[in-house]
Amino acid sequence: MTALHSLAWAAWREAASGSRMHHGWILAGKQGLGKRAFADAAARELLGARPDLEHHPDIIVLTYGPKDEKEEKKREDGKDFELARSIRIAQIREVQQRLTTRPTLGEKRVVIIDPADDMERNASNALLKSLEEPPHGTIFLLVTHRPAQLLPTIRSRCRVLRFNPLEQDDLVRQLKVALPDTDGSALAEAVHFAGGSPGSARQFIEQDLGSLAKVMHAMLEEGDRTLGGRGELAARIGARPDRERIQAILALARNITADVAAEAEPAKRIALIEAHSELVALSRQAPTFNFDPGLLAMEIGTLLADAGAASERAHG
């Protein structure tokens, strides 16, 4: 971890060693770079957590909660439950109530919000009040894949730590440790399509996205005049993909489009850049809207196919 994010660690440790550490931090970078793992490790280091202490009482993690009261009951009963699609104001209020008391084991506590860009508007406004008047000794770590989605007033009150995509050699080393049984060809394919993101590479392998990548790539290169590509895309996505699979597929589509655009001729690149922008917007909407999987597959496929058809006309 330290070697992979050396600049972020250096900035964090320099701040932690000072007398007046900034109270708000934005951990920004594309999804799957290990920002949440960094936040957990940085919080434990700041608080001097013992290695044998699995859950530190002064590290508060805020993420997606149960979808509704029915799902909350399932959680209370120790059953699997469906997650909400955003972080809600009630969750922020609950954390703020906890912050009215002193830390349990020392003088500091850390609040991790992941992903902060999926807070509801009211939740963001409530958090802003805590950032404007932070409780003594409280450090906020906002993990975000899309920092532009945060309120400008939140961004202005936080210091930014940026996380860059990994070099291929670093990514390969991580994957060999995390997935030692993966054969070399599958690993190389995952690295190629991951865009420097360890999380995307792991999802590529675990979700078996190789065949999807080939379909997407063909649509970007050739279009989809007969709609066969879109049909195959929908079939390979599946009838009931979960949130993780949908996000992995959207990340794959963005990465492939960016990769093809980077190598394209200028006239062809315009359509690809526009498609990438639309895929980014779709990725932003997917966690918060109840998309029908078939319609979502068709939307992704149409963006890829239209870019391929437009670039084909420009090329020929």
Side-chain angles (χ1 to χ4, degrees):
M1 177 70 66
T2 302
L4 291 176
H5 300 300
S6 56
L7 294 178
W9 275 114
W12 173 259
R13 286 170 175 156
E14 181 182 8
S17 64
S19 59
R20 293 178 60 85
M21 185 177 189
H22 199 75
H23 66 277
W25 295 75
I26 292 173
L27 278 56
K30 69 186 298 182
Q31 195 165 5
L33 292 178
K35 301 185 299 296
R36 170 59 187 279
F38 179 97
D40 291 335
R44 293 181 67 85
E45 181 175 288
L46 181 69
L47 301 182
R50 302 193 316 267
D52 62 328
L53 187 62
E54 183 176 358
H55 301 292
H56 197 289
D58 295 322
I59 298 176
I60 303 171
V61 178
L62 188 58
T63 187
Y64 303 110
K67 176 182 177 181
D68 50 32
E69 292 183 359
K70 179 181 177 181
E71 299 304 311
E72 174 64 38
K73 181 64 167 58
K74 290 181 182 178
R75 181 171 72 169
E76 293 173 355
D77 294 340
K79 300 177 181 178
D80 292 337
F81 59 92
E82 186 176 350
L83 294 175
R85 296 178 179 272
S86 60
I87 295 173
R88 299 168 174 171
I89 187 171
Q91 296 173 270
I92 299 292
R93 297 292 191 208
E94 183 180 350
V95 169
Q96 289 173 326
Q97 184 61 38
R98 290 183 62 179
L99 298 182
T100 61
T101 63
R102 292 180 58 83
T104 303
L105 299 181
E107 296 298 320
K108 295 179 181 178
R109 61 159 59 97
V110 178
V111 178
I112 299 172
I113 303 180
D114 174 32
D117 40 23
D118 273 352
M119 287 187 292
E120 293 178 340
R121 180 78 179 197
N122 288 341
S124 295
N125 287 327
L127 175 66
L128 179 59
K129 295 180 180 179
S130 292
L131 291 171
E132 290 174 335
E133 300 179 9
H136 179 71
T138 299
I139 308 296
F140 292 89
L141 300 181
L142 311 185
V143 177
T144 174
H145 318 312
R146 303 178 298 270
Q149 292 297 108
L150 297 174
L151 293 177
T153 43
I154 286 180
R155 297 200 303 269
S156 70
R157 285 164 173 79
C158 295
R159 183 173 170 181
V160 178
L161 286 179
R162 299 199 179 276
F163 292 74
N164 297 319
L166 302 188
E167 297 293 336
Q168 284 201 359
D169 289 346
D170 289 331
L171 186 51
V172 168
R173 281 193 290 270
Q174 273 215 357
L175 289 176
K176 284 182 176 179
V177 172
L179 302 170
D181 296 329
T182 303
D183 67 72
S185 60
L187 190 147
E189 190 178 34
V191 169
H192 176 73
F193 287 114
S197 165
S200 294
R202 289 189 61 170
Q203 286 182 326
F204 185 94
I205 294 169
E206 294 168 346
Q207 295 279 350
D208 192 21
L209 299 183
S211 58
L212 262 174
K214 292 180 176 65
V215 174
M216 290 179 179
H217 202 279
M219 293 172 75
L220 284 171
E221 292 288 348
E222 305 164 10
D224 184 31
R225 295 177 180 176
T226 66
L227 302 183
R230 271 164 276 203
E232 186 174 358
L233 192 70
R236 293 187 182 280
I237 287 175
R240 301 187 65 181
D242 58 19
R243 179 201 297 261
E244 183 179 2
R245 182 165 177 80
I246 288 172
Q247 289 301 322
I249 290 166
L250 285 165
L252 177 64
R254 295 195 307 271
N255 290 341
I256 291 177
T257 305
D259 188 46
V260 173
E263 300 295 328
E265 298 173 358
K268 186 174 182 179
R269 190 176 300 139
I270 295 173
L272 293 165
I273 291 173
E274 290 176 353
H276 186 271
S277 297
E278 292 295 330
L279 286 166
V280 170
L282 188 62
S283 301
R284 220 167 30 234
Q285 297 168 3
T288 55
F289 289 91
N290 188 23
F291 282 108
D292 174 85
L295 293 177
L296 181 61
M298 190 61 65
E299 181 70 17
I300 295 171
T302 298
L303 289 172
L304 300 178
D306 286 353
S311 62
E312 183 183 29
R313 290 194 296 272
H315 186 69

